[in-house]
Amino acid sequence: MSERIPLIYIAGSSYSGSTLMDLLLGAHPEIESLGEAKKIGLVQSAADGGTPPTCNCGDPVASCDFWRTLLPGPEPFRADDPPANADLCRRALSFRGRQVVVDNSKNLGRALMLCRSGLFDLHVLHVVRDSRAVVYSHRRKAERRARDQVYRLGPTARHWERLNRRFARAFRSRAGTGYRRVRYEDLVTRTEEEIRRILRDVSLPWDPRVLDFRDGRHHGIEGNRMRLG
């Protein structure tokens, strides 16, 4: 079996700062981010249907050199197939000669699939944001979509708790898999300190370009609107 692929998997609930974490890490010269890799098949379908999904670099995915290299053929990418994911990650690393891949999919089932495959040197980065802020973000989005409906806080709060507990139970003590929990509030107030810790987990040195992530060229897909800002 070939050497396992170093992979940082960003875990957690939506509206927890995962896009910011993804962009910060992706600005490191030895890290290549795929964005929300679980949605690659959906992005391909949208492109085939005439809707031009956009890469973080600003180009349509269909014409972005990075994604044309990673997805050279017409066949759809199988996000549920570990060897297909491994091949994709190898192509991503060789595109700019980098060492570590980031997947910002957040999905627990996908993280377990990649872990059990034995193809990845997996480091789970569990981003947790104050539940009140997460609920507030969900409510704002729901109210924008349907202003005549009353948003219910309870289901969102319970989902936040269940999901974060499940991630912690699944990976906190799992042999052969790295696990680090990062509070969003710490990430935005002590950014360099938190990123330094994460980089040590994957044996990479600190690089100040991480803090200037908006100046870099990113190639991830999907995520918060800030990725295109």
Side-chain angles (χ1 to χ4, degrees):
M1 180 180 293
S2 59
E3 187 176 350
R4 295 194 302 166
I5 302 165
L7 174 65
I8 297 175
Y9 189 93
I10 300 177
S13 70
S14 55
Y15 300 106
S16 289
S18 62
T19 300
L20 174 61
M21 177 68 83
D22 186 24
L23 293 171
L24 286 163
L25 293 175
H28 192 284
E30 297 298 336
I31 295 177
E32 193 70 75
S33 174
L34 302 175
E36 297 187 22
K38 67 179 181 183
K39 297 182 179 178
I40 290 175
L42 296 176
V43 168
Q44 285 181 298
S45 298
D48 293 341
T51 304
T54 305
C55 174
N56 284 358
C57 70
D59 294 335
V61 170
S63 59
C64 170
D65 289 342
F66 179 77
W67 288 105
R68 288 168 63 185
T69 299
L70 265 61
L71 306 168
E75 60 278 354
F77 173 70
R78 291 189 55 192
D80 60 346
D81 180 53
N85 282 274
D87 289 343
L88 184 86
C89 289
R90 292 190 187 98
R91 288 196 291 271
L93 291 177
S94 62
F95 183 77
R96 292 189 283 191
R98 302 196 169 185
Q99 297 184 40
V100 179
V101 180
V102 172
D103 182 347
N104 185 28
S105 292
K106 298 186 287 295
N107 180 269
L108 176 58
R110 177 173 172 79
L112 289 169
M113 175 197 72
L114 297 174
C115 176
R116 291 166 179 162
S117 73
L119 298 173
F120 300 90
D121 180 12
L122 188 66
H123 296 263
V124 174
L125 187 55
H126 185 185
V127 183
V128 181
R129 188 181 186 186
D130 188 313
S131 60
R132 293 167 294 184
V134 173
V135 168
Y136 175 71
S137 294
H138 274 281
R139 184 177 67 181
R140 283 177 54 195
K141 183 175 181 179
E143 289 176 347
R144 285 198 302 267
R145 288 182 171 180
R147 295 186 179 277
D148 58 336
Q149 296 183 11
V150 177
Y151 177 71
R152 299 177 63 190
L153 303 180
T156 300
R158 287 192 291 272
H159 174 74
W160 176 92
E161 181 176 13
R162 283 195 303 267
L163 183 63
N164 284 303
R165 286 184 182 276
R166 289 176 65 194
F167 261 115
R169 282 199 302 267
F171 290 104
R172 187 166 48 198
S173 302
R174 183 178 288 268
T177 301
Y179 174 84
R180 178 176 293 279
R181 186 173 68 178
V182 178
R183 294 178 65 248
Y184 170 79
E185 292 76 17
D186 293 336
L187 178 65
V188 297
T189 56
R190 299 196 296 271
T191 307
E192 180 175 338
E193 180 181 342
E194 294 298 326
I195 297 298
R196 280 182 179 273
R197 290 173 177 165
I198 295 164
L199 293 174
R200 283 197 294 268
D201 291 342
V202 292
S203 301
L204 290 180
W206 165 252
D207 192 294
R209 282 172 284 188
V210 167
L211 300 180
D212 297 321
F213 66 90
R214 291 191 184 278
D215 295 335
R217 187 169 176 81
H218 302 266
H219 288 290
I221 56 168
E222 296 296 310
N224 188 286
R225 290 176 296 175
M226 70 172 292
R227 72 188 181 93
L228 300 175

